[in-house]
Amino acid sequence: MVSEIENKVRSAKKSSVKLASIDTDTKNRALEAMAEALDIHRSFIIQENSKDQEDAKKLMEEGKLSKALVERLKVDNNKIDGMIEGIKDVIQLNDPVGDTLNSIELDEGLELYQVSCPIGVIGVIFESRPDVVPQVMSLCLKSGNATIFKGGSEASHSNRAIFDVLTDAIKHTETVPEDAFQLMETREEVMDVLKQDQYIDLLIPRGSNTFVKFIQDNTRIPVLGHSDGICHAFVDSKANLDTAYDVCYDSKVQYPAVCNAIETLLVHTDIADDFLPYMADMYNKAGVKLCCDEESYEILENLDTINEIYRATEEDWRTEYNDLILSIKVVDSIDNAVDHINNYGSHHTDVIITNDKDNKKLFSSLVDSSSVMIDASTRFADGFRYGKGAEVGISTNKIHARGPVGMEGLVIYKYILIGNGQKVDDYTGQNARKFTHNNLDKRYRDVL
Amino acid sequence: MVSEIENKVRSAKKSSVKLASIDTDTKNRALEAMAEALDIHRSFIIQENSKDQEDAKKLMEEGKLSKALVERLKVDNNKIDGMIEGIKDVIQLNDPVGDTLNSIELDEGLELYQVSCPIGVIGVIFESRPDVVPQVMSLCLKSGNATIFKGGSEASHSNRAIFDVLTDAIKHTETVPEDAFQLMETREEVMDVLKQDQYIDLLIPRGSNTFVKFIQDNTRIPVLGHSDGICHAFVDSKANLDTAYDVCYDSKVQYPAVCNAIETLLVHTDIADDFLPYMADMYNKAGVKLCCDEESYEILENLDTINEIYRATEEDWRTEYNDLILSIKVVDSIDNAVDHINNYGSHHTDVIITNDKDNKKLFSSLVDSSSVMIDASTRFADGFRYGKGAEVGISTNKIHARGPVGMEGLVIYKYILIGNGQKVDDYTGQNARKFTHNNLDKRYRDVL
């Protein structure tokens, strides 16, 4: 017996084939229709969202939902403006499908093209933010991927309303298969989605660390994302101190609740006495609580400018505070800094502050993280700041897409070999024809 | 308690950091030392291999091992020549590490580089071929990846001998950490290797379909490879018949035991009467047994040139024969051919034979396979033929590396942002600085 979810996932898979072959103009027209539909149906969306908000407020009063979560749930005219803006931005982005990544002549008249193509079916599992639906749907449509949406039950009315408005708009274009987009609703279905490795090619989770970790631990489908963001700053003995103050302050204080903020400050012992007191004072004024190792504690404990200073435990080095708390450790070499980062870090984003060219190079080579910063804030690790125009997520995976991921994370490639009857048999054994393996400078789209 | 295997895997992980930063010349010198050592220690390797062969012959006599497997186990001077040649080929390949894939200016003095780097730790699990050790070790060393080898017990003496000779050679270079390469031995350890997702970043299985499937089903580590190779040829109504005979014959007969040979022939109904009789006669002369659907059976059943013709069952469309057996189906449109391929195929390699430009384009766009051939044999889908110089494996994954995979499958990238104290705070809120996002045409290696 085929379950309802399997039916939906199969429909998406089937439609994904057609979606993969649709040209850029057609996709952009569908995106325009989506943006218009959101504008037209504002009051319907806001009305449906108010149902979710009422339910959520009750749960908040019962202590079952946090205020932050209820805030995130809210959809108003400003939020809808943002959704429309987001879709219009995606229209402006280059179509990532159909690019020739490489072309090579195997022999005269036998040409090999490596051409970018959609991945197929993307599963997006997200917590309460309803703005995930238009954002992901527009990116997936532009990159030619079918999509399964599974939102949290708190936003079920809003998600359904937005999803219906968008797919209805797509339906009216009569060129993009609206079956390619499917919304799952009831809470029980998360585990079911995770089991669809036969149909879903990639999962993108959006939510808390615990949520992402749960998904990573319970599926055989590749997951694009990261659970932890334990980022470090290392102030080398050859650091420019003003640069160090700026970068270390911004990396922690500018927005401490996000994954690319630092959790641990490593300081070279030769510079610790000079650097730490003023830095700690800056942090103190911003309300940052400091968890220090033995050596940094000794340097800071008797300063009357510092209010909140504690002794760090082993646990601190592994903790993502996501808050105004920072662990501090003094190290006696760049190697020890690198060891600490590779051992305790989450391979997300780490920064060195140094004027020494060799140390810049060494650090960027040895630190096994998706982004390595040299004299610049870790907070720059972000798809928009990196110029991608959109961010699908930040990945700490070691294969496929790594770091801040734009639409390039939603495409893969296929090889297309164009011949005129060539047989492998002619290229084997005695008197075998030789391959030329000449680089072609040709684009597949100019050939077929 | 830390198991022996965890110790080995941790050592590899630790050494992988150093290995990632070693320059090309140093890596090539280690490779030269490996090639020399194989040459010097030929008799030792052959002597150790003879122990495995004796054991294997006993098992063969008891019916526990196939003759083919015992054959594959044999290492003689020719095989060692091949191993040495293989390492020398890898020396000639470009170092895939340290390439600048993209560079962009975020703002004046704030430059982002996307630089290729090793994946980290590769786990290679293989059945009885001892030549996997030098081949994979040389590719992993050149691409800067630490490697865990887990070979079959049948080849335990040979694998150990070759592994020791190679790591000893590396040790003497005193520049490449020989800890980066680790050999597991006893049979029980396969499951243990599959559990090391904390340390192993990518698994490459080498062996039968069942073996690869077992690995895919029992690990959370990404697996580069494919289990099935159900490839198709589709002869369109607008095919050139001579091209169709050549391509369909070569795709099946040239080497039927491999994954890129076709298992199913799809023929457009408009051309079936013209095409099938002569094609079937060619197959018949080569000893190919034909499993036909109703329509093709009717066309072929009364031809006295055809000996072996059977009625196909549903099971046939899902079967990888790896042998001189071919299933044949008549379809009434290119859409039905594509549906059949996407539904029953293994997304490996499929070919269309047609003179129609639109159908070439349609087929290559709609068929969801890692290689799509147009008027050329499926047997070309191979790393060497594709000009990669080496083949790590053929992947049917939808992320990372797809199709025949060379060393590009052993690298990923990191982002390196070089600044001089920039803070995100300056790029946010009122009066925010604007990002320039100008393309840089600079290479990271020219900067640091």
Side-chain angles (χ1 to χ4, degrees):
Chain A
M1 210 191 70
V2 177
S3 64
E4 195 205 349
I5 173 161
E6 205 174 330
N7 265 332
K8 286 186 173 182
V9 179
R10 277 191 188 178
S11 286
K13 182 83 185 174
K14 208 169 150 58
S15 293
S16 73
V17 173
K18 193 182 165 201
L19 187 56
S21 68
I22 289 175
D23 65 74
T24 311
D25 287 347
T26 306
K27 291 191 284 193
N28 283 343
R29 276 198 303 276
L31 288 166
E32 274 159 25
M34 282 164 59
E36 265 173 47
L38 284 180
D39 193 30
I40 293 167
H41 298 287
R42 282 171 187 267
S43 57
F44 168 63
I45 293 167
I46 290 171
Q47 174 199 319
E48 291 298 300
N49 176 254
S50 68
K51 295 180 189 168
D52 288 331
Q53 279 190 70
E54 274 170 41
D55 294 346
K57 276 174 194 156
K58 274 182 214 146
L59 288 170
M60 188 178 75
E61 282 155 19
E62 294 166 19
K64 289 177 184 160
L65 271 189
S66 70
K67 198 180 167 199
L69 213 140
V70 177
E71 280 296 311
R72 285 215 309 256
L73 193 58
K74 193 178 174 185
V75 177
D76 55 17
N77 265 314
N78 275 340
K79 281 266 182 78
I80 294 178
D81 286 343
M83 295 177 191
I84 294 171
E85 215 48 59
I87 295 174
K88 288 187 174 165
D89 286 346
V90 173
I91 295 173
Q92 299 305 318
L93 293 177
N94 287 334
D95 189 338
V97 175
D99 281 342
T100 301
L101 309 176
N102 202 4
S103 58
I104 178 173
E105 182 199 77
L106 303 194
D107 195 359
E108 214 192 303
L110 188 63
E111 300 186 344
L112 181 69
Y113 297 86
Q114 186 186 22
V115 181
S116 67
C117 62
I119 287 179
V121 181
I122 311 285
V124 182
I125 308 184
F126 55 107
E127 291 186 310
S128 63
R129 303 186 96 113
D131 41 357
V132 167
V133 178
Q135 194 218 356
V136 172
M137 198 188 287
S138 55
L139 288 167
C140 284
L141 194 155
K142 185 84 179 218
S143 59
N145 289 289
T147 318
I148 309 294
F149 293 90
K150 174 71 192 102
S153 60
E154 299 84 11
S156 60
H157 293 95
S158 320
N159 289 337
R160 169 53 68 188
I162 296 169
F163 180 84
D164 283 348
V165 164
L166 296 175
T167 45
D168 219 54
I170 291 174
K171 197 172 178 176
H172 281 95
T173 65
E174 289 182 12
T175 47
V176 173
E178 85 272 13
D179 267 6
F181 302 99
Q182 299 281 347
L183 177 69
M184 307 293 159
E185 278 160 304
T186 66
R187 198 165 183 81
E188 298 76 68
E189 282 170 342
V190 168
M191 279 309 293
D192 290 333
V193 172
L194 301 184
K195 282 181 202 146
Q196 305 295 326
D197 54 298
Q198 203 191 334
Y199 301 107
I200 300 179
D201 299 299
L202 182 68
L203 281 180
I204 302 179
R206 290 282 184 91
S208 66
N209 294 358
T210 330
F211 178 77
V212 175
K213 186 96 179 63
F214 174 81
I215 287 167
Q216 288 172 329
D217 288 347
N218 286 283
T219 186
R220 294 187 48 233
I221 306 170
V223 177
L224 193 154
H226 69 284
S227 50
D228 299 321
I230 303 180
C231 303
H232 303 75
F234 169 53
V235 181
D236 186 33
S237 58
K238 290 160 187 165
N240 174 305
L241 287 189
D242 287 332
T243 301
Y245 298 136
D246 278 351
V247 170
C248 296
Y249 186 85
D250 191 79
S251 296
K252 182 69 214 178
V253 178
Q254 201 269 331
Y255 192 9
V258 288
C259 57
N260 58 13
I262 60 168
E263 308 299 347
T264 300
L265 173 64
L266 302 169
V267 184
H268 196 288
T269 184
D270 291 353
I271 208 172
D273 284 318
D274 289 339
F275 170 71
L276 274 176
Y278 184 70
M279 187 74 245
D281 185 40
M282 285 176 75
Y283 281 138
N284 187 59
K285 284 177 180 142
V288 180
K289 174 180 150 182
L290 306 176
C291 297
C292 299
D293 76 331
E294 204 51 47
E295 200 170 334
S296 58
Y297 194 90
E298 274 176 32
I299 295 172
L300 297 175
E301 64 178 332
N302 295 321
L303 296 181
D304 47 13
T305 49
I306 312 296
N307 300 323
E308 292 214 80
I309 169 169
Y310 302 86
R311 286 184 197 272
T313 64
E314 170 75 11
E315 198 51 29
D316 280 297
W317 316 125
R318 302 187 191 282
T319 301
E320 182 176 5
Y321 305 112
N322 274 336
D323 203 347
L324 290 174
I325 310 171
L326 180 74
S327 55
I328 303 182
K329 187 180 183 177
V330 176
V331 295
D332 58 9
S333 68
I334 185 170
D335 284 336
N336 285 343
V338 168
D339 281 351
H340 182 99
I341 292 169
N342 286 339
N343 188 17
Y344 292 103
S346 62
H347 312 290
H348 189 298
T349 302
D350 302 285
V351 58
I352 184 172
I353 298 98
T354 186
N355 280 333
D356 185 86
K357 193 171 170 177
D358 289 340
N359 284 355
K360 289 179 183 185
K361 197 172 164 181
L362 202 64
F363 187 86
S364 68
S365 157
L366 295 180
V367 166
D368 183 22
S369 295
S370 64
S371 284
V372 177
M373 310 316 213
I374 298 169
D375 294 333
S377 172
T378 55
R379 295 272 301 111
F380 283 107
D382 166 281
F384 291 95
R385 294 185 188 127
Y386 276 12
K388 291 172 183 289
E391 186 178 279
V392 170
I394 294 187
S395 160
T396 54
N397 295 356
K398 299 298 282 285
I399 61 164
H400 192 56
R402 195 183 188 205
V405 179
M407 274 207 292
E408 79 280 9
L410 301 179
V411 293
I412 182 70
Y413 53 81
K414 55 170 73 166
Y415 287 99
I416 302 174
L417 181 66
I418 307 179
N420 46 38
Q422 285 86 348
K423 298 168 289 177
V424 161
D425 202 45
D426 294 333
Y427 297 83
T428 11
Q430 297 259 320
N431 304 317
R433 277 186 75 92
K434 291 247 184 295
F435 289 103
T436 57
H437 289 150
N438 290 326
N439 278 322
L440 279 174
D441 199 19
K442 275 165 86 171
R443 295 192 310 172
Y444 173 71
R445 66 170 57 135
D446 296 332
V447 179
L448 273 188
Chain B
M1 210 191 69
V2 176
S3 64
E4 196 205 349
I5 173 160
E6 204 174 330
N7 266 331
K8 286 185 174 185
V9 178
R10 277 190 189 179
S11 287
K13 181 84 186 174
K14 207 169 152 56
S15 293
S16 72
V17 173
K18 194 183 164 199
L19 186 56
S21 68
I22 289 175
D23 65 74
T24 311
D25 286 348
T26 306
K27 291 190 284 193
N28 282 343
R29 278 199 301 277
L31 289 166
E32 273 159 25
M34 283 164 58
E36 265 173 45
L38 283 181
D39 193 30
I40 294 169
H41 298 286
R42 283 170 186 269
S43 57
F44 168 64
I45 293 167
I46 290 171
Q47 176 198 317
E48 291 297 301
N49 175 254
S50 68
K51 295 179 189 168
D52 288 330
Q53 280 189 70
E54 274 170 40
D55 294 346
K57 276 174 193 155
K58 275 182 213 147
L59 288 170
M60 187 177 75
E61 281 155 18
E62 294 167 19
K64 288 177 186 161
L65 270 188
S66 70
K67 199 178 167 199
L69 213 141
V70 177
E71 280 297 311
R72 285 215 308 254
L73 193 58
K74 193 179 174 184
V75 176
D76 55 16
N77 265 313
N78 275 340
K79 281 266 182 79
I80 294 178
D81 287 343
M83 294 177 192
I84 294 171
E85 216 48 60
I87 295 175
K88 288 186 173 165
D89 287 346
V90 173
I91 295 174
Q92 299 305 318
L93 293 178
N94 287 334
D95 189 337
V97 175
D99 282 342
T100 301
L101 309 177
N102 202 4
S103 58
I104 178 172
E105 181 199 78
L106 304 195
D107 194 359
E108 215 190 305
L110 188 62
E111 299 185 345
L112 182 68
Y113 297 87
Q114 186 187 22
V115 181
S116 67
C117 63
I119 287 180
V121 181
I122 311 284
V124 182
I125 308 183
F126 55 108
E127 291 186 311
S128 63
R129 303 186 96 113
D131 40 357
V132 167
V133 179
Q135 194 218 356
V136 171
M137 199 188 288
S138 55
L139 288 168
C140 284
L141 195 155
K142 184 85 179 219
S143 58
N145 289 289
T147 318
I148 309 294
F149 294 91
K150 175 72 192 100
S153 59
E154 300 85 10
S156 61
H157 294 95
S158 320
N159 289 338
R160 170 52 67 188
I162 295 169
F163 180 83
D164 284 349
V165 165
L166 295 175
T167 45
D168 219 52
I170 291 175
K171 197 172 178 176
H172 281 96
T173 64
E174 289 181 12
T175 46
V176 174
E178 85 271 13
D179 267 6
F181 302 99
Q182 299 281 347
L183 177 69
M184 307 293 160
E185 279 159 304
T186 65
R187 200 166 180 80
E188 297 76 68
E189 282 170 339
V190 168
M191 279 310 292
D192 290 332
V193 173
L194 301 184
K195 282 179 202 148
Q196 305 295 324
D197 55 296
Q198 202 190 337
Y199 301 107
I200 300 179
D201 299 300
L202 182 68
L203 281 179
I204 303 179
R206 290 283 185 92
S208 66
N209 294 358
T210 331
F211 178 76
V212 175
K213 186 94 179 65
F214 174 81
I215 287 167
Q216 288 173 329
D217 287 347
N218 286 281
T219 187
R220 293 187 48 231
I221 306 170
V223 177
L224 194 155
H226 67 285
S227 50
D228 299 320
I230 303 179
C231 302
H232 304 74
F234 168 54
V235 182
D236 186 35
S237 58
K238 291 160 187 166
N240 174 306
L241 287 189
D242 287 332
T243 301
Y245 297 135
D246 278 351
V247 169
C248 296
Y249 187 85
D250 191 79
S251 296
K252 181 70 213 176
V253 178
Q254 200 270 333
Y255 193 8
V258 288
C259 57
N260 58 14
I262 59 169
E263 308 298 347
T264 300
L265 173 65
L266 302 169
V267 184
H268 196 287
T269 185
D270 292 352
I271 207 172
D273 284 318
D274 289 338
F275 169 72
L276 274 176
Y278 185 70
M279 187 75 246
D281 185 40
M282 284 175 75
Y283 281 138
N284 187 57
K285 283 178 181 140
V288 180
K289 175 181 150 181
L290 305 176
C291 298
C292 300
D293 76 331
E294 203 50 48
E295 199 169 336
S296 58
Y297 195 90
E298 275 175 31
I299 296 170
L300 297 175
E301 66 178 331
N302 295 321
L303 296 181
D304 49 11
T305 50
I306 312 297
N307 299 322
E308 292 214 80
I309 169 169
Y310 302 85
R311 286 183 198 273
T313 65
E314 170 75 11
E315 197 52 28
D316 280 296
W317 315 124
R318 301 186 190 283
T319 301
E320 182 175 6
Y321 305 112
N322 274 335
D323 203 348
L324 290 173
I325 310 171
L326 181 74
S327 56
I328 303 181
K329 187 179 182 178
V330 176
V331 293
D332 58 9
S333 69
I334 184 170
D335 283 336
N336 285 343
V338 168
D339 280 351
H340 182 98
I341 292 169
N342 286 339
N343 187 18
Y344 293 103
S346 62
H347 312 290
H348 189 299
T349 303
D350 303 285
V351 57
I352 184 173
I353 298 100
T354 186
N355 279 334
D356 185 85
K357 194 171 167 176
D358 288 341
N359 284 355
K360 289 180 184 186
K361 197 173 165 182
L362 201 63
F363 187 86
S364 67
S365 157
L366 295 180
V367 166
D368 183 22
S369 295
S370 64
S371 285
V372 177
M373 312 315 214
I374 299 169
D375 294 333
S377 172
T378 56
R379 294 273 300 112
F380 283 107
D382 167 281
F384 290 95
R385 294 184 189 128
Y386 276 12
K388 291 172 183 288
E391 186 178 280
V392 169
I394 294 187
S395 160
T396 54
N397 296 356
K398 299 298 282 286
I399 61 164
H400 192 56
R402 194 181 188 206
V405 179
M407 275 208 290
E408 80 279 10
L410 301 178
V411 293
I412 182 71
Y413 54 81
K414 56 169 74 164
Y415 288 98
I416 301 175
L417 181 65
I418 307 180
N420 47 37
Q422 285 84 349
K423 298 167 289 176
V424 161
D425 202 45
D426 294 333
Y427 297 82
T428 8
Q430 297 260 319
N431 304 316
R433 276 186 75 91
K434 291 247 183 299
F435 290 103
T436 58
H437 289 149
N438 290 326
N439 278 322
L440 278 174
D441 199 19
K442 275 165 87 173
R443 294 192 311 172
Y444 174 70
R445 66 171 56 135
D446 296 332
V447 180
L448 274 188

